[in-house]
Amino acid sequence: QVQLVESGGGSVQAGGSLRLSCSVSGSVRGSRPNCVAWFRQPPGKEREGVASIGRDGSTAYADAVKGRFTVAKDNAEDTLDLQLDNLKPEDTAMYYCAASWSTSCLGSSTLINFWGQGTQVTVSS
């Protein structure tokens, strides 16, 4: 089984920054996920992809966060980090770490095989 444990998050004013981290551990029959990502779910809305990294190191971002969020994977520490800069009130959401057997996993939550428990990000105006 693959386990994902998030840390970070919190409350910040608009324009501020936060950093989320996800510890990735475990495997299934010796195999590790091909794609790891961050998703978010704003209040009353569907879960949406934010940023992802493939096994080859390629990254992808949702249009709403391009230029403001940066995703990075530390292979030595087995962590997936998300730096959130220039935060806006519309970034308020529960943020989830996610992993998938698919090589590309940002497009839909249906591509995800494993989820973390989530961490709250609240941005006030």
Side-chain angles (χ1 to χ4, degrees):
Q1 189 68 290
V2 175
Q3 294 87 34
L4 307 170
V5 180
E6 301 100 335
S7 60
S11 297
V12 66
Q13 289 190 327
S17 297
L18 286 171
R19 187 174 187 85
L20 309 181
S21 186
C22 174
S23 173
V24 183
S25 63
S27 65
V28 177
R29 293 186 291 277
S31 295
R32 301 295 299 275
N34 290 313
C35 180
V36 287
W38 286 95
F39 277 67
R40 67 184 181 185
Q41 187 164 16
K45 297 185 178 180
E46 293 186 355
R47 199 168 294 190
E48 60 185 13
V50 175
S52 67
I53 292 183
R55 185 183 289 275
D56 62 357
S58 59
T59 59
Y61 294 90
D63 287 344
V65 306
K66 281 181 181 176
R68 300 188 299 119
F69 291 9
T70 304
V71 66
K73 192 171 188 302
D74 185 328
N75 290 322
E77 298 292 330
D78 256 343
T79 60
L80 178 70
D81 296 330
L82 185 67
Q83 177 68 33
L84 298 76
D85 295 318
N86 191 19
L87 281 159
K88 304 176 180 180
E90 52 264 42
D91 294 319
T92 294
M94 185 70 78
Y95 283 70
Y96 296 91
C97 184
S100 172
W101 299 121
S102 299
T103 55
S104 175
C105 62
L106 187 64
S108 172
S109 62
T110 60
L111 296 170
I112 301 303
N113 301 101
F114 305 98
W115 292 100
Q117 81 285 357
T119 185
Q120 180 68 38
V121 171
T122 303
V123 185
S124 58
S125 57

